[in-house]
Amino acid sequence: MSNSRICAIDVGNDSVKALFGKLDYELYIPNVIARDTEDRPVIGIEELNEKDPLDGIHIRIHSPALKDNNAIYRVGSLATKSDNASELDPGSSKSEEDQTLVMLFATLALDAVRDENAGLFRKNNNVIDANYTLGTGLPLREVKEGKDVGYRSQLVGSVHQVEFLVTPKYQGLKVNIRFDQVKVYPEGFAAYINLVMDNNLNIINRDLIDKSILIQDIGGLSTDVAVIKNRNVDDDKAQGFNLGVSEALEAIREEIRSKHGVELDSRRDVVEIITRKNDRNHIMVKGSRTSVHDITDRILLELAKKQYRHLRNVWQKNSQTEICYFVGGGSMVLKEYIKTLNNNLDGYNIEFFEDEKESIWMMANAYYKLLSDFVRKNEKEENKAKEKQKQPAQK
């Protein structure tokens, strides 16, 4: 495992968040893909290498894990500009979608081709062989259904190749990705680890250690409510729901299009409109600043009521709960609505993360902590075994 590069990747519905090595690199890529042709047209081809690779991810992926093998994709920001852009659909399972794997492989390949990693991975002509130790996660519901086992087995034991086509700086390079280890964690438990421990797995929040707490993780496609008792997730009480913010964002996007004639590229544009600091809930219509408050408030309040109902139901079944933490990108979108409902109704002890980055990066940080601990323990065992072998046999 010593030649393996550590990576913690959260393939969220809205975006991929990834941490590498000794936290020496991080990546944030919109979770949008679009099928494409090999020769995508580029204006000013000679200037291609002056551009940021993240703005022009254009790849072919060969992997036995994919249903649609050898397909060509635009990924991330480039894909949002396509007419056929694809985002994960409500009701789909993260572990069974090609899109999850496409985003995962693209993220790893973008790390592997960096000049900073030239001394780490072997390169022969234009082909880089990259080995990774991966920590990632799946929604609680999918883990409870045992889908983490199949997901892991798709990754381990195979070579997954990413070929960069018309991508700035990396055009013509291929990356062969192999996994030495893959750890798949339930998302609710990961959020708890991130709340109570630092990167070295030292306890930083003693107040929470022995409390009964809920963690409601609102994602794009699903919501997980983890029930934590005695420092463990209560698997029987924990619940996963097929209810995220994606459908609401899609409804807002559609209503803005029909009412104002404005076509937003993706759900990410909707999130930007409802969460930005200035001019929140406003768009430009024919050059005029126009409020869409009526649309966003009505649709998001309806979703917040459904999320609050889940909170109430789970809390009633776990009456000794002391606090509920709302985490995930969806909680940032619904925060003000849920707070208002709670103030007007039951007044539960709930908490949101005011630091937006902390909330969005929570899962990636948690996977990194858990994976680092796993690697440390593994190395300790390996060193013990080596020491044992060195010791002379007793006569």
Side-chain angles (χ1 to χ4, degrees), residues 207-302:
D207 290 351
L208 281 183
I209 280 292
D210 295 314
K211 279 188 175 178
S212 293
I213 65 175
L214 303 180
I215 297 174
Q216 189 151 333
D217 176 18
I218 305 174
L221 303 178
S222 62
T223 295
D224 284 343
V225 187
V227 179
I228 316 285
K229 290 177 182 172
N230 303 321
R231 309 186 185 197
N232 290 304
V233 175
D234 186 329
D235 290 330
D236 295 326
K237 297 284 183 72
Q239 292 190 46
F241 307 98
N242 278 328
L243 177 70
V245 294
S246 292
E247 273 185 277
L249 297 176
E250 208 56 66
I252 291 169
R253 186 176 161 200
E254 178 57 32
E255 202 161 323
I256 286 174
R257 189 188 65 76
S258 60
K259 186 174 179 181
H260 298 288
V262 172
E263 191 75 63
L264 300 171
D265 286 340
S266 67
R267 296 171 199 153
R268 289 183 55 77
D269 290 345
V270 180
V271 173
E272 163 72 13
I273 288 162
I274 59 188
T275 58
R276 63 187 171 208
K277 299 286 181 281
N278 301 318
D279 272 353
R280 185 175 291 184
N281 292 308
H282 283 79
I283 60 170
M284 298 304 291
V285 179
K286 298 175 183 174
S288 298
R289 185 173 167 275
T290 306
S291 171
V292 289
H293 235 302
D294 55 331
I295 298 171
T296 57
D297 275 356
R298 188 183 73 255
I299 293 171
L300 292 178
L301 181 59
E302 197 52 47

Side-chain angles (χ1 to χ4, degrees), residues 16 20-21 57 74 98 112 118 122 129 161 166 193 209 220 246 294 298 317 331 364 382 385:
V16 173
F20 293 92
I57 306 167
R74 296 180 178 213
D98 267 8
R122 194 174 73 241
D129 289 313
Q161 187 182 79
V166 191
I193 289 292
I209 280 292
S246 292
D294 55 331
R298 188 183 73 255
K317 290 171 187 168
S331 67
E382 283 175 14

Side-chain angles (χ1 to χ4, degrees), residues 141-163:
R141 176 180 54 85
E142 293 186 47
V143 175
K144 284 180 88 169
E145 290 168 5
K147 290 180 178 173
D148 55 320
V149 179
Y151 184 62
R152 184 184 178 280
S153 65
Q154 282 184 311
L155 299 174
V156 178
S158 298
V159 179
H160 316 277
Q161 187 182 79
V162 177
E163 179 184 357

Side-chain angles (χ1 to χ4, degrees), residues 33-298:
I33 63 174
R35 291 294 295 269
D36 204 9
T37 55
E38 190 160 345
D39 300 314
R40 74 176 178 91
V42 178
I43 298 165
I45 192 82
E46 68 284 351
E47 293 167 15
L48 181 68
N49 286 343
E50 302 302 312
K51 295 175 180 170
D52 185 342
L54 294 185
D55 292 333
I57 306 167
H58 182 238
I59 55 176
R60 177 191 279 117
I61 301 185
H62 174 79
S63 166
L66 294 170
K67 298 183 194 85
D68 212 344
N69 204 352
N70 276 327
I72 294 168
Y73 297 97
R74 296 180 178 213
V75 175
S77 298
L78 187 67
T80 62
K81 302 176 178 70
S82 297
D83 293 335
N84 62 332
S86 161
E87 296 173 271
L88 289 169
D89 293 322
S92 63
S93 290
K94 192 188 278 192
S95 58
E96 295 173 344
E97 293 292 326
D98 267 8
Q99 180 154 344
T100 305
L101 295 172
V102 168
M103 294 304 301
L104 185 76
F105 297 146
T107 303
L108 290 163
L110 284 161
D111 173 67
V113 293
R114 294 167 63 236
D115 292 340
E116 289 86 343
N117 290 330
L120 186 64
F121 300 132
R122 194 174 73 241
K123 186 177 179 184
N124 188 10
N125 295 325
N126 281 338
V127 182
I128 296 161
D129 289 313
N131 283 52
Y132 285 96
T133 296
L134 171 68
T136 189
L138 289 174
L140 209 57
R141 176 180 54 85
E142 293 186 47
V143 175
K144 284 180 88 169
E145 290 168 5
K147 290 180 178 173
D148 55 320
V149 179
Y151 184 62
R152 184 184 178 280
S153 65
Q154 282 184 311
L155 299 174
V156 178
S158 298
V159 179
H160 316 277
Q161 187 182 79
V162 177
E163 179 184 357
F164 288 98
L165 301 173
V166 191
T167 302
K169 295 189 176 74
Y170 304 140
Q171 189 168 10
L173 292 177
K174 293 179 182 177
V175 181
N176 289 332
I177 297 164
R178 291 177 178 84
F179 294 102
D180 293 310
Q181 290 278 2
V182 174
K183 301 294 283 181
V184 182
Y185 303 105
E187 290 174 351
F189 175 63
Y192 172 67
I193 289 292
N194 203 62
L195 279 171
V196 299
M197 294 176 178
D198 65 13
N199 282 337
N200 298 314
L201 276 286
N202 296 317
I203 293 165
I204 50 172
N205 201 335
R206 291 207 167 273
D207 290 351
L208 281 183
I209 280 292
D210 295 314
K211 279 188 175 178
S212 293
I213 65 175
L214 303 180
I215 297 174
Q216 189 151 333
D217 176 18
I218 305 174
L221 303 178
S222 62
T223 295
D224 284 343
V225 187
V227 179
I228 316 285
K229 290 177 182 172
N230 303 321
R231 309 186 185 197
N232 290 304
V233 175
D234 186 329
D235 290 330
D236 295 326
K237 297 284 183 72
Q239 292 190 46
F241 307 98
N242 278 328
L243 177 70
V245 294
S246 292
E247 273 185 277
L249 297 176
E250 208 56 66
I252 291 169
R253 186 176 161 200
E254 178 57 32
E255 202 161 323
I256 286 174
R257 189 188 65 76
S258 60
K259 186 174 179 181
H260 298 288
V262 172
E263 191 75 63
L264 300 171
D265 286 340
S266 67
R267 296 171 199 153
R268 289 183 55 77
D269 290 345
V270 180
V271 173
E272 163 72 13
I273 288 162
I274 59 188
T275 58
R276 63 187 171 208
K277 299 286 181 281
N278 301 318
D279 272 353
R280 185 175 291 184
N281 292 308
H282 283 79
I283 60 170
M284 298 304 291
V285 179
K286 298 175 183 174
S288 298
R289 185 173 167 275
T290 306
S291 171
V292 289
H293 235 302
D294 55 331
I295 298 171
T296 57
D297 275 356
R298 188 183 73 255

